[in-house]
């Protein structure tokens, strides 16, 4: 956000300084989650990773892209993005992505504490 402050055209235009500051109730706002979990945020992180030689930003960008695609698949109501056996290759890729995301959330750890609650929700809601 800081490096785009004076730019007229911003890559991650939805991110604002207050987006990153959150209290208990702000964490539940869908708008904040959508500002962080979108492809433009991931693209901005990839650019910053290359520009500032910070490869850990690419990991964060990959994670954001993974979650964005997973959410598109599990919440889609359009025929273009919905799971359908009409195109078996697309169906196979989509279900593989859902399985990957589910497995990641079920096995993911931050520090020494496993995120069991998150994993169970992803598994239940995805399959």
């Amino acid at each position: 956000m800081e490096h785009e402050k004076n730019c007229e055209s911003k890559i991650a235009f939805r991110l604002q300084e207050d987006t990153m500051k959150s209290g208990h109730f702000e964490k539940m706002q869908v708008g904040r989650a959508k500002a962080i979990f979108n492809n433009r945020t991931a693209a901005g992180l990839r650019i910053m990773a290359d520009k500032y030689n910070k490869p850990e930003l690419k990991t964060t960008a990959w994670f954001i892209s993974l979650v964005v695609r997973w959410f598109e698949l599990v919440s889609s109501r359009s025929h273009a993005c919905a799971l359908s056996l009409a195109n078996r290759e697309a169906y196979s890729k989509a279900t593989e992505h859902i399985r990957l995301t589910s497995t990641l959330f079920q096995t993911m750890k931050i520090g020494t504490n496993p995120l069991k609650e998150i994993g169970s929700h992803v598994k239940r809601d995805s399959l």
Side-chain angles (χ1 to χ4, degrees):
M1 292 180 307
E2 189 67 34
H3 75 283
E4 289 188 333
K5 196 175 231 178
N6 298 321
C7 297
E8 189 173 314
S9 178
K10 299 178 181 180
I11 295 170
F13 64 91
R14 290 184 176 158
L15 287 180
Q16 306 295 324
E17 281 193 41
D18 67 330
T19 306
M20 305 311 285
K21 298 174 187 169
S22 63
H24 177 69
F25 291 107
E26 289 84 10
K27 291 179 184 178
M28 294 184 257
Q29 293 179 347
V30 174
R32 285 179 185 256
K34 288 184 90 172
I36 295 168
F37 287 99
N38 73 59
N39 288 319
R40 291 185 70 112
T41 302
L45 287 170
R46 286 186 195 98
I47 290 168
M48 286 182 59
D50 292 337
K51 184 176 181 178
Y52 298 110
N53 194 26
K54 293 189 173 223
E56 64 272 14
L57 294 179
K58 287 187 179 182
T59 304
T60 304
W62 173 84
F63 179 77
I64 288 172
S65 295
L66 179 95
V67 172
V68 167
R69 179 68 179 137
W70 169 80
F71 187 75
E72 287 171 352
L73 291 169
V74 299
S75 65
S76 175
R77 292 184 179 178
S78 83
H79 291 290
C81 207
L83 294 174
S84 167
L85 290 173
N87 182 343
R88 291 205 180 262
E89 185 179 340
Y91 177 82
S92 178
K93 283 182 181 178
T95 55
E96 182 58 36
H97 187 88
I98 292 170
R99 282 189 197 99
L100 170 66
T101 307
S102 180
T103 300
L104 176 72
F105 272 88
Q106 290 175 55
T107 59
M108 182 169 57
K109 294 181 182 183
I110 295 176
T112 57
N113 298 322
L115 296 175
K116 291 181 183 176
E117 269 188 54
I118 291 174
S120 64
H121 292 297
V122 172
K123 182 177 181 184
R124 182 191 70 221
D125 296 341
S126 295
L127 303 174

